[in-house]
Amino acid sequence: MTDGNVAISLSSTKSIVLNNTITGYRTGIQLSGIAAVNVQGNHISQGGGDGMQVGGFGADVVTGTIAYNISDQNFGDGIVLADGSHVTATHNVTSGNTWDGIHVDAAPPSGNVMGLTATIAGNTANSNNHLGIDAPPASTSGAPVAVTDGGGN
């Protein structure tokens, strides 16, 4: 599904997004309100915003795996794990993005406090203009946050 600014936008019960090449959209992949996701093997590049956005759109609870994706040369972050994300991000490559390679954003929108848990392991984040991986130790909003460095990043 697309709205012209997002190449793949999903908000269904279970979603699998495998082996796509996405170039030039504002956001490559946007996941919200989903019970379970499996996002693997996608290449997202040269977007006008974030390569991939997971959660952060209200009462989201997104669980699952974000693995073996490449998100490079985007004008925003490579991969954003936002409030409501409860995922494992592993073996992704983020490089050449204007902001962070992987950005963990636990600030909930509009007072939504769904919390965030993420295990980040085995990712490569090189040559991004801000940080390779930006994972705050806690939320300033009161949302429960647990980010685990699984090593190998």
Side-chain angles (χ1 to χ4, degrees):
M1 297 187 144
T2 180
D3 68 0
N5 290 316
V6 179
I8 299 173
S9 178
L10 300 170
S11 59
S12 61
T13 304
K14 293 184 180 180
S15 295
I16 298 172
V17 182
L18 300 175
N19 303 322
N20 295 284
T21 299
I22 301 167
T23 304
Y25 284 83
R26 175 142 178 87
T27 300
I29 299 173
Q30 187 176 70
L31 306 167
S32 63
I34 301 169
V37 298
N38 180 3
V39 181
Q40 296 190 43
N42 300 286
H43 185 181
I44 307 159
S45 65
Q46 301 173 2
D50 300 325
M52 183 185 310
Q53 297 174 340
V54 182
F57 299 97
D60 295 340
V61 177
V62 180
T63 63
T65 302
I66 310 297
Y68 299 99
N69 299 287
I70 299 170
S71 186
D72 62 352
Q73 301 174 24
N74 295 293
F75 192 68
D77 298 311
I79 298 172
V80 176
L81 305 177
D83 183 63
S85 299
H86 302 280
V87 298
T88 297
T90 183
H91 295 64
N92 297 290
V93 175
T94 59
S95 63
N97 295 293
T98 300
W99 291 101
D100 302 325
I102 297 175
H103 179 80
V104 179
D105 184 0
S110 305
N112 177 41
V113 183
M114 298 305 294
L116 181 147
T117 56
T119 299
I120 301 172
N123 298 285
T124 301
N126 295 328
S127 302
N128 296 288
N129 286 344
H130 192 238
L131 299 174
I133 298 174
D134 182 11
S139 170
T140 58
S141 68
V145 175
V147 178
T148 302
D149 180 353
N153 293 302

